[in-house]
Amino acid sequence: MKKNSLVLNLVIPCYNEEEALPLTKKELDKKMSNLMEEGLISENSKVVLVNDGSKDNTYLVCKENNINCINLIRNLGIGGAVQTGYKLADIKNYDIAVQYDGDGQHDINSLENRILINGTFLCLIFLILGIRIYMMTRFSFFFRPFACVLVAN
């Protein structure tokens, strides 16, 4: 088992996700444990949920399930919640911050692909975007590829 000193902050923005959180936590804990056992991430790596002013019991479910949680007192939107998680990663000097969805929409098994290429960490890459291209309209046909090129350059 190789040891890695890179510390991962897995940012989970949530809004009204009380029903999905227990299952999501179970999946995330299992994946994080596996990555630590394989030596791909540090044992200091954390999952941090950002409760984006939920109207349901999302924050209570976090506390009951021992989920690290930042509780925003009002809804800032997905951008504000993700930014909060990334700011925490910066303040705590995490090496890598990756966003996943609180309802299990993202496949947690793709985590290695988001932070590793052929076993090498993407330390020099500052931003990776996942862009869905399955819904092509007459406007997205032009703008999505244009945006990809613009961001890539």
Side-chain angles (χ1 to χ4, degrees), residues 55-90:
K55 303 290 184 206
D56 66 359
N57 292 316
T58 296
Y59 184 66
L60 182 62
V61 170
C62 287
K63 290 301 166 197
E64 290 172 350
N65 289 281
N66 282 336
I67 300 173
N68 294 324
C69 182
I70 298 172
N71 191 41
L72 302 177
I73 58 173
R74 60 175 226 168
N75 182 271
L76 299 179
I78 184 73
V82 171
Q83 209 172 34
T84 300
Y86 288 162
K87 284 185 180 192
L88 175 71
D90 184 45

Side-chain angles (χ1 to χ4, degrees), residues 27-103:
E27 291 175 358
L28 294 175
D29 285 349
K30 182 179 176 185
K31 178 50 90 177
M32 294 291 280
S33 292
N34 289 344
L35 292 173
M36 288 176 197
E37 287 174 13
E38 293 172 20
L40 296 175
I41 60 173
S42 166
E43 293 181 3
N44 295 322
S45 298
K46 302 280 184 216
V47 174
V48 178
L49 187 133
V50 181
N51 179 32
D52 192 19
S54 294
K55 303 290 184 206
D56 66 359
N57 292 316
T58 296
Y59 184 66
L60 182 62
V61 170
C62 287
K63 290 301 166 197
E64 290 172 350
N65 289 281
N66 282 336
I67 300 173
N68 294 324
C69 182
I70 298 172
N71 191 41
L72 302 177
I73 58 173
R74 60 175 226 168
N75 182 271
L76 299 179
I78 184 73
V82 171
Q83 209 172 34
T84 300
Y86 288 162
K87 284 185 180 192
L88 175 71
D90 184 45
I91 290 168
K92 298 277 189 175
N93 291 317
Y94 286 99
D95 298 306
I96 304 168
V98 178
Q99 173 202 345
Y100 266 84
D101 204 64
D103 63 4

Side-chain angles (χ1 to χ4, degrees), residues 8-13 28 31 35 40-41 82 86 95-102 104-132:
L8 170 68
N9 181 28
L10 198 55
V11 178
I12 315 294
L28 294 175
K31 178 50 90 177
L35 292 173
L40 296 175
I41 60 173
V82 171
Y86 288 162
D95 298 306
I96 304 168
V98 178
Q99 173 202 345
Y100 266 84
D101 204 64
Q105 174 183 344
H106 299 143
D107 180 12
I108 191 61
N109 294 313
S110 69
L111 182 58
E112 293 96 331
N113 296 336
R114 295 177 84 179
I115 61 174
L116 298 170
I117 292 181
N118 295 329
T120 303
F121 279 91
L122 302 174
C123 297
L124 299 178
I125 298 175
F126 296 105
L127 177 67
I128 299 173
L129 298 175
I131 299 175
R132 298 178 188 160

